[in-house]
Amino acid sequence: MLPVYIAGIGMSQFGKSSNTLVEIMEGAAARALAGSKIQDIEAIYIAVMNPEEFTGDANIASHVVEALGLTGIPALRVETASSAGAAALHAAFQSIASGYYRQVLVLGGEKMTHLSTSATTRILAEVIDAQERQCGATMPALAAMITEKYRRKHHISESRMARALCAVAMKNHAYGAHNPYAQFRQTLSKDKYLASKFVATPLRLYDCAPITDGAAAVILTAARTDILISGIGQGTGPVSLRERDSLSAFPATQIAARKAYQMAGIAPKQVDCAEVHDAFTPFEIIGTEDLGFFAPGKGGQAVVSGQTAADGILPVNLSGGLKSRGHPVGASGVAQIVEIARLLRGESAVKLKREPRRALAQSIGGLATNNFVTIVKKKAAAAIGAEGVIETFTVLHITPDGFLPPLALALIRDRKGALIMAQGEDITHLKIGREVYLRQVAGTYYFTVKSQLQKVRQAIRQLLGKKRSHTEPADGKKAANG
Amino acid sequence: MLPVYIAGIGMSQFGKSSNTLVEIMEGAAARALAGSKIQDIEAIYIAVMNPEEFTGDANIASHVVEALGLTGIPALRVETASSAGAAALHAAFQSIASGYYRQVLVLGGEKMTHLSTSATTRILAEVIDAQERQCGATMPALAAMITEKYRRKHHISESRMARALCAVAMKNHAYGAHNPYAQFRQTLSKDKYLASKFVATPLRLYDCAPITDGAAAVILTAARTDILISGIGQGTGPVSLRERDSLSAFPATQIAARKAYQMAGIAPKQVDCAEVHDAFTPFEIIGTEDLGFFAPGKGGQAVVSGQTAADGILPVNLSGGLKSRGHPVGASGVAQIVEIARLLRGESAVKLKREPRRALAQSIGGLATNNFVTIVKKKAAAAIGAEGVIETFTVLHITPDGFLPPLALALIRDRKGALIMAQGEDITHLKIGREVYLRQVAGTYYFTVKSQLQKVRQAIRQLLGKKRSHTEPADGKKAANG
């Protein structure tokens, strides 16, 4: 598989828009292109959940490619309900990983606010099983039933559960206030949360993501950039609640996460920050458990104790999440990628305690029936610079505050003979005498063990170098003497 | 890019069905799986054009994966209006070509007959530009306007044009009569055609594909089978007629075809048979021109003179095409692949004059706004058997009846020293002394020039063989003497 990189990101203002769906999408694409070196897109992967019913737009892929003035190039729509954005990104990923395309645009959008809340709720509810829908079940109703089951299964009191849900809403609103693209840019007080009406007990209005217009765009490329897509995974689950083995977790996320972690070659705790699909506040809590960040039943406590805040061990939804940034369904899966890219690039107003290197996005389709996990990794712009050798090392399992275990530490002897204390990018392949790459970020050194392939390359370079020096011995001597 | 093969095909009976959309799709998938060695599908690529409005099914990917009892595995929907089936196939192709999946199911379907013709026409018309739709334009209306422009541009009289359209309809009905999955299995007489009412002048009822329920499935794999997908291509065109430079051809097809031919490394005339998107009879004529089979303006004459019949030089729609097999929009792009696979495998009741080796499918989305071309190639079950060397060769430009120029012919000396007259699979790389692979099909020998890569592999094999013989000289001698 060829590596796939992110070469551009763009978003529309999320909220209520007077523009058409296609115009909103056009705006996001224009921003992504404006901020990217890549202009000659080869294909467009489009995510819209239900343009037929929300805006009466069919054949949306052809409309979008035309609006962008790119008629002629391939464009197709990918749809998996509310995770369509992530699905389009994954399909686009494969088109580059296969070598078929070199650079493509992923563009998600939805326009919903022009309809009444009841009309929007009805259209969104079409993803639900027919029999359950017939009973009057809506998305908030099913989410509420999941929440209640989750609470009972983990023996959490009603008040503690409410505190956890409130903590998710308050945290996401607090961060959304810093996000220029967010629909809601006001913080949320506990009193205001508690004063809001129940939509479906135990979920209040502030537990539900809003109805939003918006679009987001990502440009993918086969050429190396600063952000690599290192892992992708998808999983599905039963549509109806009554067919499920678990009502307190989402196996579709677990399947997707397993695949993505395996592909990226990392464990959950190696993720530095995440965007988790908080269409309902309990989904963020369950999501962080399904993703392996916290043990089952412990996600709520993690939020309340600040572990998912910017200065916590695993910051979640620093963009404001769907809750505060807004949830134009087809766009959300792409918007999450835009947000984690902004965080890795340090473009976000919210800063983490330590520079993030690996970020994850989780997207839910329907009531967690079609879920995606995407992992991205920051590539050092010029990682191969200073080199050295491991003098000694350890893997720290009990770490100081602000450092997540296990933490690889090594004393590296650089080419000038100086010793440098550095953090390992990986805890495997540690051995005294092993060659490493070194890079410095904000005062901290990081090392990466040289791979076998790199060693072979180096050996070839040396061999070629020797040959050259054999043919030019005089010059070499002269230079050394001169 | 890893090669992608077809490992299974399946179709539902096309026509009016009392089953639900998901049940129809389930049936097609079950047939594909039953006829394939592959059972453990890793992902499903689903094509449905508009389940939201035709049947009220949203979140269709999750519903389908559940109905198939495969909940957990990834499933996503791909949509490009009426070419959705081809789009899903192309996205699935890339997922295997990248190495991300090894075996996936492509499943297209649509259920339409339960609605009134006017309701179906309205839903299908949503793909049209809003302003043109507002004027009362339907798909047949736009197709008719294209037909009229085509006729005038190429100075074809009204009666000659009508004769050509009638010839397409009659041909496709004649072949559909042999297709057990086809919606219409009756031949069509000229009188019946002429007695049918005009839908939009100059198009009559028999110029339009019917409204159909149906599904089709294809299993793709990275493991070698008898059918390779050798080329894919996609192109888009303006949605509205008034934005088009050409009203007598479809550039979206031309773009898609160029890419697919380039990838397959063949010229149009090397295609042995094709399925062309005949949603309207003139689209088959224009399609055969856009695909480079016939010169612009000559496609009608080609049908009338039998060149696209089973015994013609380029048989088109031997399945009956959309016209007679039926057109469940999301399924058609997949059904075309099923049909060309059946033809290459000799499973079709209709036989070609010579055994087909390369087949093409062309699918149109909307009014030719999002088109796809797919080329498949029959792989000899055991191609690498007899080998030989070119003794002498020619490229025949004026060929006997039944042979399409240019035709590569060579006298091959096989390993036993005998001379064999054989047809070349390709007209390039011909040179006396060049090594070739030989295979025999139904009494005719075909040769393929060994590629450079294969030569390198052989050189390595020889080198390894020599080394072995150096270390075992005594044994070798003994065997030679013994």
Side-chain angles (χ1 to χ4, degrees):
Chain A
M1 248 191 294
L2 300 177
V4 181
Y5 299 89
I6 292 175
I9 52 174
M11 262 173 81
S12 75
Q13 176 64 51
F14 276 25
K16 199 172 169 64
S17 170
S18 57
N19 292 337
T20 66
L21 170 63
V22 171
E23 285 166 350
I24 297 170
M25 294 177 76
E26 202 183 331
R31 287 188 188 179
L33 287 163
S36 172
K37 284 180 194 160
I38 290 175
Q39 298 302 314
D40 47 335
I41 292 296
E42 290 173 13
I44 310 179
Y45 286 75
I46 289 161
V48 194
M49 174 168 156
N50 195 341
E52 290 84 359
E53 292 183 278
F54 280 130
T55 56
D57 288 310
N59 200 9
I60 188 73
S62 297
H63 280 286
V64 169
V65 75
E66 189 167 1
L68 292 174
L70 293 173
T71 298
I73 74 165
L76 55 85
R77 169 186 169 209
V78 180
E79 184 265 322
T80 53
S82 48
S83 57
L89 185 96
H90 284 212
F93 174 96
Q94 288 160 357
S95 78
I96 290 183
S98 72
Y100 189 76
Y101 295 125
R102 291 276 303 168
Q103 39 216 40
V104 306
L105 173 68
V106 183
L107 182 54
E110 206 86 51
K111 185 174 166 68
M112 311 161 73
T113 66
H114 59 292
L115 297 179
S116 67
T117 302
S118 68
T120 304
T121 305
R122 183 191 57 73
I123 295 172
L124 289 174
E126 285 174 10
V127 305
I128 300 172
D129 171 78
Q131 190 271 327
E132 294 176 1
R133 211 188 319 161
Q134 205 180 315
C135 286
T138 59
M139 287 292 281
L142 300 188
M145 293 167 86
I146 293 279
T147 309
E148 195 54 25
K149 183 74 190 173
Y150 170 89
R151 185 182 74 72
R152 288 298 294 275
K153 180 179 165 122
H154 297 298
H155 310 291
I156 301 169
S157 70
E158 284 188 18
S159 61
R160 269 186 58 216
M161 192 71 215
R163 216 159 36 238
L165 300 182
C166 175
V168 172
M170 286 176 65
K171 169 177 72 68
N172 293 358
H173 271 268
Y175 292 126
H178 295 285
N179 186 342
Y181 300 104
Q183 182 166 9
F184 298 129
R185 300 198 55 190
Q186 306 88 28
T187 56
L188 176 69
S189 69
K190 191 179 167 187
D191 289 346
K192 197 170 172 190
Y193 173 87
L194 289 173
S196 75
K197 64 181 181 199
F198 280 114
V199 173
T201 57
L203 302 183
R204 295 174 184 273
L205 181 65
Y206 281 110
D207 290 308
C208 310
I211 292 165
T212 313
D213 305 331
V218 168
I219 297 169
L220 300 185
T221 172
R224 188 183 164 126
T225 72
D226 58 337
I227 299 179
L228 171 78
I229 298 184
S230 56
I232 64 170
Q234 184 190 357
T236 54
V239 175
S240 71
L241 288 199
R242 63 190 193 284
E243 298 285 343
R244 301 191 187 198
D245 296 327
S246 168
L247 289 173
S248 59
F250 298 136
T253 297
Q254 295 164 0
I255 294 167
R258 206 157 44 231
K259 283 192 208 171
Y261 286 134
Q262 192 181 13
M263 183 173 161
I266 63 166
K269 299 250 157 134
Q270 288 175 275
V271 171
D272 295 326
C273 58
E275 289 286 309
V276 174
H277 189 102
D278 58 332
F280 302 98
T281 52
F283 284 15
E284 177 175 315
I285 293 172
I286 293 172
T288 58
E289 299 173 8
D290 289 334
L291 291 165
F293 297 164
F294 306 108
K298 302 297 181 197
Q301 198 182 312
V303 186
V304 171
S305 64
Q307 293 183 62
T308 56
D311 58 354
I313 56 164
L314 222 158
V316 171
N317 288 333
L318 297 189
S319 66
L322 311 187
K323 178 71 205 75
S324 164
R325 186 181 65 240
H327 184 24
V329 280
S332 283
V334 185
Q336 290 182 320
I337 305 299
V338 171
E339 300 288 4
I340 56 178
R342 289 176 64 222
L343 275 167
L344 291 192
R345 286 183 174 163
E347 292 171 5
S348 167
V350 180
K351 296 295 172 204
L352 281 78
K353 213 166 169 182
R354 55 176 188 148
E355 195 210 22
R357 303 247 316 129
R358 292 191 188 89
L360 178 150
Q362 174 243 23
S363 184
I364 290 183
L367 202 99
T369 60
N370 207 334
N371 300 3
F372 291 81
V373 169
T374 308
I375 299 172
V376 302
K377 188 179 175 183
K378 191 172 176 181
K379 302 295 282 186
I384 301 159
E387 292 178 4
V389 168
I390 295 178
E391 196 76 16
T392 183
F393 71 94
T394 183
V395 176
L396 199 59
H397 290 279
I398 299 180
T399 49
D401 281 348
F403 294 89
L404 209 66
L407 180 69
L409 285 180
L411 213 51
I412 308 292
R413 191 173 295 278
D414 76 5
R415 288 197 277 197
K416 290 173 190 162
L419 284 175
I420 295 163
M421 177 65 80
Q423 268 185 36
E425 312 253 13
D426 201 326
I427 61 162
T428 59
H429 306 298
L430 300 176
K431 203 174 171 184
I432 288 175
R434 193 147 276 182
E435 288 183 310
V436 298
Y437 293 121
L438 270 177
R439 50 182 212 103
Q440 193 191 4
V441 179
T444 303
Y445 279 93
Y446 297 88
F447 71 87
T448 318
V449 175
K450 281 193 185 181
S451 72
Q452 289 306 107
L453 179 65
Q454 288 163 332
K455 278 191 187 163
V456 168
R457 279 190 193 143
Q458 199 180 31
I460 290 170
R461 271 201 302 273
Q462 278 175 350
L463 201 71
L464 291 174
K466 264 185 198 160
K467 269 193 182 165
R468 211 171 293 128
S469 66
H470 278 309
T471 57
E472 313 167 276
D475 285 344
K477 222 169 187 174
K478 204 184 274 176
N481 294 344
Chain B
M1 244 190 298
L2 300 176
V4 181
Y5 299 90
I6 292 175
I9 52 174
M11 263 174 80
S12 74
Q13 175 65 49
F14 276 24
K16 198 173 171 61
S17 170
S18 56
N19 292 337
T20 67
L21 170 63
V22 172
E23 286 166 350
I24 297 169
M25 293 176 78
E26 203 183 331
R31 286 186 189 180
L33 287 164
S36 171
K37 284 179 193 161
I38 290 174
Q39 299 302 315
D40 47 336
I41 291 298
E42 289 174 14
I44 310 180
Y45 285 76
I46 289 162
V48 195
M49 174 169 157
N50 196 340
E52 290 85 359
E53 293 184 279
F54 280 131
T55 56
D57 289 310
N59 201 8
I60 188 73
S62 298
H63 280 286
V64 168
V65 75
E66 190 168 359
L68 292 175
L70 293 173
T71 298
I73 75 165
L76 55 85
R77 169 186 169 209
V78 180
E79 184 264 321
T80 53
S82 47
S83 57
L89 184 97
H90 285 212
F93 174 96
Q94 288 161 356
S95 78
I96 290 184
S98 72
Y100 189 76
Y101 295 125
R102 291 276 303 169
Q103 38 215 40
V104 305
L105 174 68
V106 183
L107 181 55
E110 206 86 50
K111 185 174 166 68
M112 311 161 72
T113 65
H114 58 293
L115 297 179
S116 67
T117 301
S118 69
T120 304
T121 304
R122 184 192 55 73
I123 295 173
L124 289 174
E126 284 174 13
V127 305
I128 300 171
D129 172 78
Q131 190 271 327
E132 294 178 0
R133 211 187 319 162
Q134 205 179 315
C135 286
T138 58
M139 288 292 281
L142 300 188
M145 292 166 86
I146 293 279
T147 309
E148 195 55 23
K149 183 74 190 171
Y150 171 89
R151 184 181 75 73
R152 287 300 293 275
K153 182 182 163 118
H154 296 298
H155 311 290
I156 300 169
S157 70
E158 286 189 19
S159 61
R160 268 186 57 215
M161 192 70 215
R163 214 157 39 235
L165 301 182
C166 176
V168 172
M170 286 177 67
K171 167 177 74 67
N172 293 357
H173 272 268
Y175 292 125
H178 295 286
N179 185 342
Y181 300 103
Q183 180 165 10
F184 298 128
R185 300 197 57 190
Q186 307 87 28
T187 55
L188 175 71
S189 68
K190 191 177 166 189
D191 288 346
K192 198 168 173 192
Y193 173 88
L194 289 174
S196 75
K197 64 182 177 198
F198 280 113
V199 173
T201 55
L203 302 184
R204 296 173 183 274
L205 181 67
Y206 281 110
D207 289 307
C208 310
I211 293 166
T212 313
D213 304 331
V218 168
I219 297 169
L220 299 185
T221 173
R224 188 183 163 124
T225 72
D226 58 336
I227 299 178
L228 171 77
I229 298 183
S230 57
I232 64 170
Q234 183 191 0
T236 54
V239 175
S240 72
L241 287 199
R242 62 190 192 283
E243 298 285 343
R244 302 190 185 197
D245 295 328
S246 168
L247 289 172
S248 58
F250 298 136
T253 297
Q254 294 164 0
I255 293 168
R258 205 156 45 231
K259 283 191 208 172
Y261 287 133
Q262 193 180 12
M263 182 174 163
I266 64 167
K269 300 249 157 137
Q270 288 175 273
V271 171
D272 296 326
C273 57
E275 289 287 309
V276 175
H277 190 101
D278 57 330
F280 301 99
T281 51
F283 284 16
E284 177 175 315
I285 293 171
I286 292 172
T288 57
E289 298 173 10
D290 289 333
L291 291 165
F293 296 164
F294 305 108
K298 302 297 181 196
Q301 196 182 314
V303 186
V304 172
S305 64
Q307 293 183 61
T308 56
D311 58 355
I313 56 162
L314 222 159
V316 171
N317 288 332
L318 298 189
S319 68
L322 311 186
K323 179 70 205 74
S324 164
R325 184 181 65 241
H327 185 23
V329 279
S332 284
V334 185
Q336 290 182 320
I337 306 299
V338 171
E339 301 288 4
I340 56 179
R342 288 175 65 220
L343 275 167
L344 291 194
R345 286 182 174 163
E347 291 172 5
S348 167
V350 179
K351 298 293 173 208
L352 280 78
K353 213 166 170 181
R354 56 176 187 150
E355 194 210 23
R357 304 247 315 131
R358 293 191 189 87
L360 178 151
Q362 174 244 23
S363 183
I364 290 183
L367 203 99
T369 60
N370 207 336
N371 300 3
F372 292 81
V373 169
T374 309
I375 299 171
V376 302
K377 187 179 175 184
K378 189 170 179 182
K379 301 295 282 187
I384 301 160
E387 291 177 6
V389 168
I390 295 178
E391 195 78 15
T392 182
F393 71 95
T394 182
V395 176
L396 200 59
H397 290 278
I398 299 180
T399 49
D401 279 350
F403 294 88
L404 206 66
L407 180 69
L409 285 181
L411 212 51
I412 308 293
R413 190 171 297 275
D414 76 5
R415 287 197 280 196
K416 290 175 192 161
L419 285 175
I420 295 164
M421 178 63 80
Q423 267 185 36
E425 314 252 13
D426 203 325
I427 61 162
T428 60
H429 304 299
L430 300 175
K431 201 174 171 185
I432 288 175
R434 192 147 275 180
E435 288 182 310
V436 298
Y437 294 122
L438 271 177
R439 52 181 211 100
Q440 192 190 3
V441 180
T444 303
Y445 279 93
Y446 298 88
F447 71 89
T448 317
V449 176
K450 283 192 185 183
S451 75
Q452 287 308 105
L453 179 66
Q454 287 162 334
K455 277 190 188 164
V456 169
R457 279 191 191 141
Q458 198 179 32
I460 291 171
R461 270 201 303 273
Q462 279 176 349
L463 201 71
L464 292 174
K466 261 185 200 161
K467 269 192 183 167
R468 212 171 293 130
S469 66
H470 277 309
T471 57
E472 316 167 274
D475 286 340
K477 221 168 187 176
K478 205 186 271 173
N481 293 342

